[in-house]
Amino acid sequence: MERLSCFFRIGDNDVWNPANFVAKVFHAEALALAQVFGVPSGLGPIVDDECHIDGQTFTRFVMTLLHEHRKTNHSALKYLIEGVIGVGLVFLERAGESDGEVPQDIGDFWEERRRSLSRRMTQG
């Protein structure tokens, strides 16, 4: 039986439970960005409406995107990667991965983006 939603999990933590279509869009965007920037995403395949994520690898992926976002002056590129960064920051916070590599001061823009998205992203 197909579920109407997909669980994204880091370790034992359900970090997001969007509709399947939304899950597929995020998953595809993240994998495409990982390929373009030449870094692993940490996202596993979506199998039986679940996607398991390696927290350490995903943290490095999100940090790479943040770095690329900071260094580019290309407005369209910034917009294209902002959605994956924002969702990624929510994942990391929910999984307790926000310590260590994630900068404590990610700036007001990213903190507000993370908070705003978090309120709207169901966990299950």
Side-chain angles (χ1 to χ4, degrees), residues 90-118:
V90 172
F91 283 12
L92 296 176
E93 179 195 42
R94 289 179 176 178
E97 299 281 337
S98 58
D99 297 334
E101 289 186 55
V102 179
Q104 292 297 317
D105 179 18
I106 59 174
D108 292 339
F109 174 82
W110 289 114
E111 183 57 26
E112 177 52 36
R113 175 68 57 95
R114 185 197 55 73
R115 274 194 303 248
S116 177
L117 282 169
S118 185

PDB file of all heavy atoms in Angstrom, residues 90-118:
ATOM      1  N   VAL A  90      16.584  23.026   8.546  1.00  0.00           N
ATOM      2  CA  VAL A  90      15.534  22.467   9.417  1.00  0.00           C
ATOM      3  C   VAL A  90      15.871  21.013   9.751  1.00  0.00           C
ATOM      4  O   VAL A  90      15.791  20.596  10.911  1.00  0.00           O
ATOM      5  CB  VAL A  90      14.140  22.567   8.760  1.00  0.00           C
ATOM      6  CG1 VAL A  90      13.090  21.816   9.587  1.00  0.00           C
ATOM      7  CG2 VAL A  90      13.731  24.019   8.571  1.00  0.00           C
ATOM      8  N   PHE A  91      16.265  20.241   8.747  1.00  0.00           N
ATOM      9  CA  PHE A  91      16.643  18.838   8.979  1.00  0.00           C
ATOM     10  C   PHE A  91      17.729  18.751  10.048  1.00  0.00           C
ATOM     11  O   PHE A  91      17.639  17.942  10.974  1.00  0.00           O
ATOM     12  CB  PHE A  91      17.197  18.202   7.712  1.00  0.00           C
ATOM     13  CG  PHE A  91      16.196  17.798   6.667  1.00  0.00           C
ATOM     14  CD1 PHE A  91      14.874  18.199   6.699  1.00  0.00           C
ATOM     15  CD2 PHE A  91      16.607  17.015   5.611  1.00  0.00           C
ATOM     16  CE1 PHE A  91      13.981  17.818   5.717  1.00  0.00           C
ATOM     17  CE2 PHE A  91      15.731  16.615   4.621  1.00  0.00           C
ATOM     18  CZ  PHE A  91      14.413  17.026   4.671  1.00  0.00           C
ATOM     19  N   LEU A  92      18.762  19.556   9.891  1.00  0.00           N
ATOM     20  CA  LEU A  92      19.915  19.485  10.800  1.00  0.00           C
ATOM     21  C   LEU A  92      19.525  19.860  12.218  1.00  0.00           C
ATOM     22  O   LEU A  92      19.968  19.229  13.178  1.00  0.00           O
ATOM     23  CB  LEU A  92      21.049  20.366  10.279  1.00  0.00           C
ATOM     24  CG  LEU A  92      21.632  19.943   8.936  1.00  0.00           C
ATOM     25  CD1 LEU A  92      22.684  20.941   8.478  1.00  0.00           C
ATOM     26  CD2 LEU A  92      22.186  18.528   8.968  1.00  0.00           C
ATOM     27  N   GLU A  93      18.695  20.868  12.346  1.00  0.00           N
ATOM     28  CA  GLU A  93      18.243  21.251  13.687  1.00  0.00           C
ATOM     29  C   GLU A  93      17.420  20.134  14.322  1.00  0.00           C
ATOM     30  O   GLU A  93      17.644  19.760  15.475  1.00  0.00           O
ATOM     31  CB  GLU A  93      17.413  22.530  13.628  1.00  0.00           C
ATOM     32  CG  GLU A  93      16.912  22.922  15.009  1.00  0.00           C
ATOM     33  CD  GLU A  93      15.813  23.954  14.967  1.00  0.00           C
ATOM     34  OE1 GLU A  93      14.916  23.853  14.121  1.00  0.00           O
ATOM     35  OE2 GLU A  93      15.863  24.842  15.815  1.00  0.00           O
ATOM     36  N   ARG A  94      16.498  19.577  13.578  1.00  0.00           N
ATOM     37  CA  ARG A  94      15.615  18.530  14.113  1.00  0.00           C
ATOM     38  C   ARG A  94      16.364  17.258  14.471  1.00  0.00           C
ATOM     39  O   ARG A  94      15.934  16.513  15.346  1.00  0.00           O
ATOM     40  CB  ARG A  94      14.496  18.222  13.122  1.00  0.00           C
ATOM     41  CG  ARG A  94      13.484  19.346  13.020  1.00  0.00           C
ATOM     42  CD  ARG A  94      12.404  19.038  12.038  1.00  0.00           C
ATOM     43  NE  ARG A  94      11.400  20.098  12.035  1.00  0.00           N
ATOM     44  CZ  ARG A  94      10.339  20.111  11.237  1.00  0.00           C
ATOM     45  NH1 ARG A  94      10.132  19.112  10.392  1.00  0.00           N
ATOM     46  NH2 ARG A  94       9.482  21.111  11.297  1.00  0.00           N
ATOM     47  N   ALA A  95      17.448  17.005  13.783  1.00  0.00           N
ATOM     48  CA  ALA A  95      18.229  15.790  14.047  1.00  0.00           C
ATOM     49  C   ALA A  95      19.315  16.017  15.079  1.00  0.00           C
ATOM     50  O   ALA A  95      20.055  15.096  15.425  1.00  0.00           O
ATOM     51  CB  ALA A  95      18.854  15.279  12.749  1.00  0.00           C
ATOM     52  N   GLY A  96      19.429  17.235  15.584  1.00  0.00           N
ATOM     53  CA  GLY A  96      20.488  17.531  16.538  1.00  0.00           C
ATOM     54  C   GLY A  96      21.856  17.594  15.884  1.00  0.00           C
ATOM     55  O   GLY A  96      22.869  17.456  16.549  1.00  0.00           O
ATOM     56  N   GLU A  97      21.885  17.811  14.576  1.00  0.00           N
ATOM     57  CA  GLU A  97      23.148  17.888  13.836  1.00  0.00           C
ATOM     58  C   GLU A  97      23.601  19.339  13.695  1.00  0.00           C
ATOM     59  O   GLU A  97      24.549  19.608  12.986  1.00  0.00           O
ATOM     60  CB  GLU A  97      22.985  17.281  12.428  1.00  0.00           C
ATOM     61  CG  GLU A  97      22.606  15.836  12.403  1.00  0.00           C
ATOM     62  CD  GLU A  97      23.770  14.897  12.650  1.00  0.00           C
ATOM     63  OE1 GLU A  97      24.920  15.298  12.430  1.00  0.00           O
ATOM     64  OE2 GLU A  97      23.510  13.763  13.068  1.00  0.00           O
ATOM     65  N   SER A  98      22.905  20.257  14.342  1.00  0.00           N
ATOM     66  CA  SER A  98      23.232  21.673  14.143  1.00  0.00           C
ATOM     67  C   SER A  98      24.440  22.123  14.946  1.00  0.00           C
ATOM     68  O   SER A  98      24.856  23.260  14.841  1.00  0.00           O
ATOM     69  CB  SER A  98      22.017  22.556  14.440  1.00  0.00           C
ATOM     70  OG  SER A  98      21.571  22.351  15.748  1.00  0.00           O
ATOM     71  N   ASP A  99      25.022  21.247  15.740  1.00  0.00           N
ATOM     72  CA  ASP A  99      26.269  21.579  16.439  1.00  0.00           C
ATOM     73  C   ASP A  99      27.435  21.175  15.554  1.00  0.00           C
ATOM     74  O   ASP A  99      27.288  20.407  14.616  1.00  0.00           O
ATOM     75  CB  ASP A  99      26.364  20.821  17.770  1.00  0.00           C
ATOM     76  CG  ASP A  99      25.258  21.222  18.727  1.00  0.00           C
ATOM     77  OD1 ASP A  99      24.750  22.343  18.604  1.00  0.00           O
ATOM     78  OD2 ASP A  99      24.899  20.398  19.578  1.00  0.00           O
ATOM     79  N   GLY A 100      28.592  21.663  15.865  1.00  0.00           N
ATOM     80  CA  GLY A 100      29.775  21.240  15.115  1.00  0.00           C
ATOM     81  C   GLY A 100      29.981  22.054  13.867  1.00  0.00           C
ATOM     82  O   GLY A 100      30.312  23.222  13.937  1.00  0.00           O
ATOM     83  N   GLU A 101      29.764  21.434  12.702  1.00  0.00           N
ATOM     84  CA  GLU A 101      30.072  22.084  11.439  1.00  0.00           C
ATOM     85  C   GLU A 101      29.144  23.239  11.092  1.00  0.00           C
ATOM     86  O   GLU A 101      29.520  24.134  10.361  1.00  0.00           O
ATOM     87  CB  GLU A 101      30.029  21.064  10.293  1.00  0.00           C
ATOM     88  CG  GLU A 101      31.167  20.085  10.311  1.00  0.00           C
ATOM     89  CD  GLU A 101      31.151  19.210   9.082  1.00  0.00           C
ATOM     90  OE1 GLU A 101      31.155  19.754   7.966  1.00  0.00           O
ATOM     91  OE2 GLU A 101      31.127  17.988   9.239  1.00  0.00           O
ATOM     92  N   VAL A 102      27.920  23.214  11.554  1.00  0.00           N
ATOM     93  CA  VAL A 102      26.984  24.276  11.224  1.00  0.00           C
ATOM     94  C   VAL A 102      27.355  25.519  12.024  1.00  0.00           C
ATOM     95  O   VAL A 102      27.418  25.467  13.248  1.00  0.00           O
ATOM     96  CB  VAL A 102      25.526  23.858  11.529  1.00  0.00           C
ATOM     97  CG1 VAL A 102      24.563  24.974  11.202  1.00  0.00           C
ATOM     98  CG2 VAL A 102      25.163  22.591  10.783  1.00  0.00           C
ATOM     99  N   PRO A 103      27.611  26.625  11.338  1.00  0.00           N
ATOM    100  CA  PRO A 103      27.987  27.837  12.063  1.00  0.00           C
ATOM    101  C   PRO A 103      26.894  28.265  13.039  1.00  0.00           C
ATOM    102  O   PRO A 103      25.711  28.249  12.686  1.00  0.00           O
ATOM    103  CB  PRO A 103      28.159  28.881  10.955  1.00  0.00           C
ATOM    104  CG  PRO A 103      28.234  28.134   9.684  1.00  0.00           C
ATOM    105  CD  PRO A 103      27.565  26.811   9.902  1.00  0.00           C
ATOM    106  N   GLN A 104      27.283  28.607  14.248  1.00  0.00           N
ATOM    107  CA  GLN A 104      26.301  29.060  15.242  1.00  0.00           C
ATOM    108  C   GLN A 104      25.613  30.331  14.766  1.00  0.00           C
ATOM    109  O   GLN A 104      24.445  30.532  14.994  1.00  0.00           O
ATOM    110  CB  GLN A 104      26.971  29.273  16.605  1.00  0.00           C
ATOM    111  CG  GLN A 104      27.451  27.991  17.245  1.00  0.00           C
ATOM    112  CD  GLN A 104      26.309  27.034  17.546  1.00  0.00           C
ATOM    113  OE1 GLN A 104      25.267  27.432  18.031  1.00  0.00           O
ATOM    114  NE2 GLN A 104      26.499  25.764  17.247  1.00  0.00           N
ATOM    115  N   ASP A 105      26.361  31.200  14.117  1.00  0.00           N
ATOM    116  CA  ASP A 105      25.792  32.447  13.609  1.00  0.00           C
ATOM    117  C   ASP A 105      25.604  32.300  12.107  1.00  0.00           C
ATOM    118  O   ASP A 105      26.491  32.613  11.326  1.00  0.00           O
ATOM    119  CB  ASP A 105      26.710  33.625  13.925  1.00  0.00           C
ATOM    120  CG  ASP A 105      26.160  34.926  13.387  1.00  0.00           C
ATOM    121  OD1 ASP A 105      24.957  34.980  13.091  1.00  0.00           O
ATOM    122  OD2 ASP A 105      26.945  35.871  13.251  1.00  0.00           O
ATOM    123  N   ILE A 106      24.447  31.787  11.710  1.00  0.00           N
ATOM    124  CA  ILE A 106      24.194  31.600  10.289  1.00  0.00           C
ATOM    125  C   ILE A 106      23.560  32.833   9.678  1.00  0.00           C
ATOM    126  O   ILE A 106      23.218  32.850   8.504  1.00  0.00           O
ATOM    127  CB  ILE A 106      23.329  30.346  10.012  1.00  0.00           C
ATOM    128  CG1 ILE A 106      21.979  30.446  10.726  1.00  0.00           C
ATOM    129  CG2 ILE A 106      24.079  29.088  10.357  1.00  0.00           C
ATOM    130  CD1 ILE A 106      21.016  29.334  10.387  1.00  0.00           C
ATOM    131  N   GLY A 107      23.422  33.852  10.482  1.00  0.00           N
ATOM    132  CA  GLY A 107      22.872  35.095   9.963  1.00  0.00           C
ATOM    133  C   GLY A 107      21.375  35.163  10.145  1.00  0.00           C
ATOM    134  O   GLY A 107      20.685  34.149  10.207  1.00  0.00           O
ATOM    135  N   ASP A 108      20.895  36.386  10.215  1.00  0.00           N
ATOM    136  CA  ASP A 108      19.468  36.603  10.425  1.00  0.00           C
ATOM    137  C   ASP A 108      18.619  36.029   9.297  1.00  0.00           C
ATOM    138  O   ASP A 108      17.557  35.466   9.539  1.00  0.00           O
ATOM    139  CB  ASP A 108      19.181  38.094  10.572  1.00  0.00           C
ATOM    140  CG  ASP A 108      19.762  38.675  11.843  1.00  0.00           C
ATOM    141  OD1 ASP A 108      20.028  37.909  12.794  1.00  0.00           O
ATOM    142  OD2 ASP A 108      19.949  39.908  11.883  1.00  0.00           O
ATOM    143  N   PHE A 109      19.087  36.172   8.058  1.00  0.00           N
ATOM    144  CA  PHE A 109      18.330  35.662   6.913  1.00  0.00           C
ATOM    145  C   PHE A 109      18.070  34.169   7.053  1.00  0.00           C
ATOM    146  O   PHE A 109      16.937  33.704   6.940  1.00  0.00           O
ATOM    147  CB  PHE A 109      19.085  35.948   5.600  1.00  0.00           C
ATOM    148  CG  PHE A 109      18.440  35.324   4.400  1.00  0.00           C
ATOM    149  CD1 PHE A 109      17.375  35.946   3.772  1.00  0.00           C
ATOM    150  CD2 PHE A 109      18.892  34.110   3.881  1.00  0.00           C
ATOM    151  CE1 PHE A 109      16.769  35.376   2.654  1.00  0.00           C
ATOM    152  CE2 PHE A 109      18.298  33.540   2.768  1.00  0.00           C
ATOM    153  CZ  PHE A 109      17.233  34.174   2.157  1.00  0.00           C
ATOM    154  N   TRP A 110      19.131  33.395   7.320  1.00  0.00           N
ATOM    155  CA  TRP A 110      18.992  31.940   7.393  1.00  0.00           C
ATOM    156  C   TRP A 110      18.270  31.496   8.651  1.00  0.00           C
ATOM    157  O   TRP A 110      17.513  30.520   8.624  1.00  0.00           O
ATOM    158  CB  TRP A 110      20.340  31.244   7.256  1.00  0.00           C
ATOM    159  CG  TRP A 110      20.847  31.353   5.864  1.00  0.00           C
ATOM    160  CD1 TRP A 110      21.940  32.030   5.427  1.00  0.00           C
ATOM    161  CD2 TRP A 110      20.241  30.801   4.697  1.00  0.00           C
ATOM    162  NE1 TRP A 110      22.050  31.931   4.064  1.00  0.00           N
ATOM    163  CE2 TRP A 110      21.019  31.177   3.590  1.00  0.00           C
ATOM    164  CE3 TRP A 110      19.106  30.024   4.475  1.00  0.00           C
ATOM    165  CZ2 TRP A 110      20.708  30.813   2.287  1.00  0.00           C
ATOM    166  CZ3 TRP A 110      18.794  29.653   3.181  1.00  0.00           C
ATOM    167  CH2 TRP A 110      19.591  30.042   2.107  1.00  0.00           C
ATOM    168  N   GLU A 111      18.475  32.197   9.739  1.00  0.00           N
ATOM    169  CA  GLU A 111      17.768  31.839  10.969  1.00  0.00           C
ATOM    170  C   GLU A 111      16.263  32.040  10.796  1.00  0.00           C
ATOM    171  O   GLU A 111      15.457  31.183  11.183  1.00  0.00           O
ATOM    172  CB  GLU A 111      18.295  32.648  12.155  1.00  0.00           C
ATOM    173  CG  GLU A 111      17.670  32.285  13.482  1.00  0.00           C
ATOM    174  CD  GLU A 111      17.820  30.821  13.873  1.00  0.00           C
ATOM    175  OE1 GLU A 111      18.771  30.150  13.433  1.00  0.00           O
ATOM    176  OE2 GLU A 111      16.967  30.334  14.639  1.00  0.00           O
ATOM    177  N   GLU A 112      15.880  33.150  10.202  1.00  0.00           N
ATOM    178  CA  GLU A 112      14.456  33.395   9.965  1.00  0.00           C
ATOM    179  C   GLU A 112      13.893  32.398   8.959  1.00  0.00           C
ATOM    180  O   GLU A 112      12.789  31.888   9.130  1.00  0.00           O
ATOM    181  CB  GLU A 112      14.224  34.823   9.462  1.00  0.00           C
ATOM    182  CG  GLU A 112      12.778  35.128   9.123  1.00  0.00           C
ATOM    183  CD  GLU A 112      11.783  34.803  10.224  1.00  0.00           C
ATOM    184  OE1 GLU A 112      12.095  34.971  11.414  1.00  0.00           O
ATOM    185  OE2 GLU A 112      10.660  34.357   9.899  1.00  0.00           O
ATOM    186  N   ARG A 113      14.647  32.089   7.928  1.00  0.00           N
ATOM    187  CA  ARG A 113      14.207  31.110   6.930  1.00  0.00           C
ATOM    188  C   ARG A 113      13.989  29.756   7.595  1.00  0.00           C
ATOM    189  O   ARG A 113      12.992  29.086   7.365  1.00  0.00           O
ATOM    190  CB  ARG A 113      15.248  31.012   5.819  1.00  0.00           C
ATOM    191  CG  ARG A 113      15.004  29.959   4.749  1.00  0.00           C
ATOM    192  CD  ARG A 113      13.799  30.220   3.849  1.00  0.00           C
ATOM    193  NE  ARG A 113      13.857  31.483   3.167  1.00  0.00           N
ATOM    194  CZ  ARG A 113      14.315  31.688   1.946  1.00  0.00           C
ATOM    195  NH1 ARG A 113      14.769  30.666   1.258  1.00  0.00           N
ATOM    196  NH2 ARG A 113      14.304  32.881   1.417  1.00  0.00           N
ATOM    197  N   ARG A 114      14.945  29.334   8.423  1.00  0.00           N
ATOM    198  CA  ARG A 114      14.833  28.046   9.109  1.00  0.00           C
ATOM    199  C   ARG A 114      13.608  28.022  10.010  1.00  0.00           C
ATOM    200  O   ARG A 114      12.819  27.081   9.985  1.00  0.00           O
ATOM    201  CB  ARG A 114      16.096  27.755   9.918  1.00  0.00           C
ATOM    202  CG  ARG A 114      16.081  26.365  10.562  1.00  0.00           C
ATOM    203  CD  ARG A 114      17.091  26.238  11.668  1.00  0.00           C
ATOM    204  NE  ARG A 114      16.961  27.247  12.691  1.00  0.00           N
ATOM    205  CZ  ARG A 114      15.988  27.307  13.613  1.00  0.00           C
ATOM    206  NH1 ARG A 114      15.050  26.396  13.646  1.00  0.00           N
ATOM    207  NH2 ARG A 114      15.961  28.277  14.512  1.00  0.00           N
ATOM    208  N   ARG A 115      13.420  29.060  10.809  1.00  0.00           N
ATOM    209  CA  ARG A 115      12.261  29.115  11.722  1.00  0.00           C
ATOM    210  C   ARG A 115      10.949  29.100  10.956  1.00  0.00           C
ATOM    211  O   ARG A 115      10.016  28.378  11.320  1.00  0.00           O
ATOM    212  CB  ARG A 115      12.331  30.368  12.594  1.00  0.00           C
ATOM    213  CG  ARG A 115      13.153  30.205  13.830  1.00  0.00           C
ATOM    214  CD  ARG A 115      12.898  31.348  14.797  1.00  0.00           C
ATOM    215  NE  ARG A 115      13.185  32.622  14.156  1.00  0.00           N
ATOM    216  CZ  ARG A 115      14.186  33.434  14.488  1.00  0.00           C
ATOM    217  NH1 ARG A 115      14.980  33.122  15.480  1.00  0.00           N
ATOM    218  NH2 ARG A 115      14.372  34.569  13.860  1.00  0.00           N
ATOM    219  N   SER A 116      10.869  29.891   9.895  1.00  0.00           N
ATOM    220  CA  SER A 116       9.640  29.975   9.114  1.00  0.00           C
ATOM    221  C   SER A 116       9.302  28.632   8.465  1.00  0.00           C
ATOM    222  O   SER A 116       8.155  28.174   8.519  1.00  0.00           O
ATOM    223  CB  SER A 116       9.796  31.059   8.050  1.00  0.00           C
ATOM    224  OG  SER A 116       8.655  31.117   7.236  1.00  0.00           O
ATOM    225  N   LEU A 117      10.290  28.009   7.867  1.00  0.00           N
ATOM    226  CA  LEU A 117      10.060  26.699   7.250  1.00  0.00           C
ATOM    227  C   LEU A 117       9.715  25.636   8.290  1.00  0.00           C
ATOM    228  O   LEU A 117       8.825  24.810   8.065  1.00  0.00           O
ATOM    229  CB  LEU A 117      11.299  26.251   6.469  1.00  0.00           C
ATOM    230  CG  LEU A 117      11.496  26.885   5.103  1.00  0.00           C
ATOM    231  CD1 LEU A 117      12.883  26.551   4.574  1.00  0.00           C
ATOM    232  CD2 LEU A 117      10.426  26.411   4.139  1.00  0.00           C
ATOM    233  N   SER A 118      10.401  25.660   9.394  1.00  0.00           N
ATOM    234  CA  SER A 118      10.197  24.638  10.425  1.00  0.00           C
ATOM    235  C   SER A 118       8.738  24.608  10.891  1.00  0.00           C
ATOM    236  O   SER A 118       8.177  23.539  11.122  1.00  0.00           O
ATOM    237  CB  SER A 118      11.138  24.891  11.603  1.00  0.00           C
ATOM    238  OG  SER A 118      11.025  23.848  12.544  1.00  0.00           O
TER     239      SER A 118
END
